[in-house]
Amino acid sequence: MGLEKYLDIKPEIAEALKNGTPVVALESTILSHGFPYPENKEFAKEVEKIVRAEGAIPATTAIIGGKLKVGLTEEELMFMCNPVDVGKVSRRDIAVYLEAGKAGATTVATTMIIAAMAGIKVFATGGIGGVHRGATETMDISADLQELAQTPVAVVCAGAKQVLDIGLTLEYLETMGVPVLGYGTEDFPAFYCRKSGFDVDYAAKDAAEVARIINTKWDLGLKGGLIIGNPIPEEYELDFDTMEGIINQAIAEANEKGVRGKYITPFLLARIKELSGGESFKSNTQLAFNNCRVAAKIACELAKL
Ligand code: PSU
Ligand code: MN
């Protein structure tokens, strides 16, 4: 397909993919635009360690120097942490960033695209993008949802971010035919909270069952990805109603300031961190760690099939 021209796969990962060693894709937007600099540097290194501890190889993706990077050197990883140097790249931006030679952090949508090109089946993030509150007016629906409908990557997340309209996000996913599995839960997680009050399609018991479902979907030739909703560990869960108050305030401020488009999610995450006195940052970090653990377990089970 001539993708070699664009794809730059780290040798360790190329080797793993050739040998069927489990690999887990990781995104870079959560670094550059989801977490504050420089605290995100520790996080970036830690997620890779967690994936390795579970027996899989981490593949953080990014766009650097006109290449789609699959796996970063430590220097590149640290470079991706500084939001001053890197843009936020969704599907629409990929070709522009490659041609302009600009550095870009990959969102869930873009990480899925790059992972699929490289042959990586499992990806861990914090929370997927979705249908924003007020979307009936703004039409702000994350490109992540369309990507899940068409690109074959299983995304492990702590549900959809609580800043979104979770009910509408699930409706959209149903329309697009994306399976929404719960990892040991009947209730679709709400990022900082274990429960959103909305059901998942199916509560999978363990990583082996998730792997079988993923495998069967693709065996059947059904297009697109899957969502594995993995609830935040209880000890890091935040109170739903307290967070609702904070989120509503952050959204009101975003509206007042006229924050729109791709800047909304980073603005809200940063403002929620401030309003929660750093609690949301701690939770966001821990839920992402937990997703890496589960994604690596699923990748290991998939490798056995
Ligand atoms: N999960 C997090 N923090 C983040 C994101 C996910 O814990 O910052 C990022 C992902 O890259 C996701 C993006 O694709 O937020 C959603 O942005 P938007 O709503 O503009 O589609
Ligand atoms: Mn959006």
Side-chain angles (χ1 to χ4, degrees):
M1 271 198 295
L3 280 177
E4 303 77 32
K5 185 175 157 199
Y6 305 105
L7 265 183
D8 180 2
I9 307 180
K10 215 169 142 185
E12 181 195 18
I13 295 165
E15 186 69 19
L17 290 167
K18 205 174 72 194
N19 300 334
T21 306
V23 177
V24 172
L26 300 167
E27 59 152 314
S28 44
T29 291
I30 188 172
L31 305 176
S32 325
H33 306 288
F35 283 138
Y37 179 82
E39 292 99 308
N40 52 5
K41 288 180 157 188
E42 251 335 284
F43 172 85
K45 287 188 229 165
E46 189 60 27
V47 284
E48 295 213 344
K49 268 193 221 146
I50 289 171
V51 170
R52 282 187 198 280
E54 294 291 339
I57 309 289
T60 304
T61 65
I63 299 181
I64 302 174
K67 295 277 184 194
L68 304 173
K69 294 270 187 186
V70 181
L72 304 178
T73 62
E74 186 161 332
E75 198 187 331
E76 288 167 337
L77 194 61
M78 294 304 101
F79 170 74
M80 291 311 295
C81 287
N82 192 340
V84 173
D85 300 320
V86 291
K88 176 177 166 186
V89 175
S90 196
R91 171 180 271 268
R92 63 168 180 193
D93 310 300
I94 297 173
V96 170
Y97 270 70
L98 284 178
E99 283 312 312
K102 293 208 289 181
T106 57
T107 60
V108 167
T110 304
T111 304
M112 288 177 73
I113 293 169
I114 298 175
M117 284 176 179
I120 302 171
K121 296 173 179 168
V122 183
F123 161 30
T125 181
I128 54 163
V131 180
H132 281 261
R133 301 182 191 188
T136 47
E137 279 289 313
T138 62
M139 288 182 69
D140 189 350
I141 300 173
S142 175
D144 294 352
L145 300 186
Q146 279 291 329
E147 211 55 58
L148 281 154
Q150 58 176 321
T151 302
V153 175
V155 181
V156 182
C157 58
K161 295 194 198 70
Q162 199 185 333
V163 303
L164 301 166
D165 188 320
I166 295 181
L168 289 187
T169 300
L170 290 169
E171 289 294 344
Y172 194 97
L173 290 167
E174 180 186 3
T175 303
M176 292 292 147
V178 179
V180 177
L181 308 181
Y183 191 76
T185 179
E186 302 270 341
D187 198 302
F188 190 57
F191 204 59
Y192 306 122
C193 313
R194 291 176 62 83
K195 292 182 175 182
S196 65
F198 293 93
D199 288 345
V200 294
D201 305 332
Y202 179 70
K205 283 178 287 297
D206 52 26
E209 190 181 20
V210 172
R212 288 196 301 274
I213 294 169
I214 294 171
N215 207 43
T216 298
K217 170 168 170 150
W218 294 335
D219 246 2
L220 292 168
L222 292 173
K223 204 168 76 135
L226 302 91
I227 291 177
I228 297 98
N230 179 35
I232 183 171
E234 260 163 68
E235 60 269 43
Y236 301 109
E237 183 178 29
L238 300 178
D239 178 65
F240 191 90
D241 295 328
T242 309
M243 291 316 289
E244 274 300 300
I246 288 174
I247 288 165
N248 285 332
Q249 184 181 334
I251 291 175
E253 288 177 19
N255 290 340
E256 266 163 44
K257 289 193 156 81
V259 181
R260 269 192 286 271
K262 67 179 187 180
Y263 301 106
I264 286 261
T265 299
F267 175 88
L268 293 178
L269 292 175
R271 197 61 190 113
I272 291 165
K273 175 184 179 254
E274 285 165 12
L275 292 170
S276 69
E279 284 302 305
S280 70
F281 172 63
K282 218 179 356 176
S283 289
N284 197 348
T285 304
Q286 292 297 331
L287 66 83
F289 289 167
N290 194 40
N291 294 340
C292 289
R293 247 170 252 131
V294 168
K297 287 196 169 88
I298 294 169
C300 290
E301 291 298 332
L302 261 178
K304 294 183 199 161
L305 296 178

